[in-house]
Amino acid sequence: MTTAPQPATAQPEPLWQPGEDRIAAAQVTRFQEWAAARHGAPAAVPGDPAASYAALHRWSVQELERFWQATTEWFDVRFTTPYERVLADPAMPGASWFPGATLNYAEHALRAADDPARADTPALLHVDETHEPRPITWAELRGQVGSLAAELRRLGVRPGDRVSGYVPNIPQAVTALLAAAAVGAVWTSCAPDFGARSVLDRFQQVEPVVLFTVDGYHYGG
């Protein structure tokens, strides 16, 4: 018995694809051009964005150290302590990336406040049951985080300590999270509508040195 050959299945057409202007302005296009000039990434294939992306992806998995070094530079990752090398041990699981490096999440999250064009634009836009948006600018948020981080240090909070928040989804929760990160503490939180047992189960495990809390929250008026 023989089987009749099956006709080749036509490749489906994409529902949408970006135009040339959008491709040229895309971050990944700009990154490839920059990485090709500085880190040996493959140059874009003229007129063929799909092939360009495929070549960039292939380079990213074949040249791990060069790709991730380029990525940290492109995104301006600010290492407080420089790394010894990009990839010390590629074994999986347990790969060792950027040994020796230290950095601070809060510094990176708040650096928009350093940009005069963005400092007075909203970092947070809080809306509650009143439906009245209340913006907090990058400059305001950084000021609040810096003030609270200074108080945490005064209280003796050190890197590796745990800080907990028993707070709803409000701007002050973001401030507390970033202040904890600024001093190197570990943050964990629960919403105040959690049951008492759930809150105790979570917070007792980490033994926080500081607890932020509210005395109530609004729901349905």
Side-chain angles (χ1 to χ4, degrees):
M1 177 182 288
T2 59
T3 302
Q6 299 297 313
T9 303
Q11 290 295 322
E13 291 294 323
L15 296 177
W16 174 87
Q17 57 186 21
E20 293 182 3
D21 291 346
R22 189 160 186 167
I23 292 171
Q27 285 278 12
V28 68
T29 303
R30 294 170 53 208
F31 171 75
Q32 184 167 12
E33 180 181 355
W34 176 88
R38 291 168 175 78
H39 291 279
V45 180
D48 194 340
S52 301
Y53 181 85
L56 181 64
H57 177 263
R58 190 162 50 249
W59 178 72
S60 75
V61 296
Q62 292 176 347
E63 300 287 345
L64 289 173
E65 291 199 61
R66 296 169 74 183
F67 170 74
W68 285 106
Q69 180 184 3
T71 300
T72 58
E73 292 177 13
W74 174 258
F75 286 105
D76 188 26
V77 176
R78 301 174 185 179
F79 293 102
T80 307
T81 306
Y83 56 86
E84 297 162 7
R85 64 174 299 176
V86 175
L87 181 59
D89 183 359
M92 289 293 288
S96 177
W97 291 94
F98 299 100
T102 61
L103 51 78
N104 189 275
Y105 170 74
E107 176 187 1
H108 287 76
L110 294 167
R111 62 185 179 179
D114 296 331
D115 183 353
R118 299 184 64 190
D120 294 325
T121 61
L124 302 175
L125 192 62
H126 179 236
V127 181
D128 59 16
E129 292 185 347
T130 67
H131 301 291
E132 295 180 7
R134 284 174 286 174
I136 297 175
T137 69
W138 286 106
E140 290 171 335
L141 181 60
R142 185 174 65 175
Q144 293 170 8
V145 170
S147 177
L148 185 54
E151 180 62 15
L152 290 176
R153 292 188 181 97
R154 190 192 69 79
L155 291 171
V157 179
R158 296 290 181 266
D161 285 343
R162 277 75 62 201
V163 174
S164 293
Y166 188 45
V167 290
N169 191 14
I170 55 177
Q172 290 83 356
V174 178
T175 300
L177 158 68
L178 291 174
V183 302
V186 178
W187 170 264
T188 182
S189 66
C190 285
D193 52 357
F194 273 35
R197 184 71 260 166
S198 298
V199 176
L200 290 173
D201 285 346
R202 177 173 293 191
F203 289 168
Q204 284 177 337
Q205 294 182 62
V206 299
E207 299 179 336
V209 298
V210 173
L211 173 65
F212 291 97
T213 186
V214 294
D215 60 2
Y217 62 97
H218 293 278
Y219 176 74

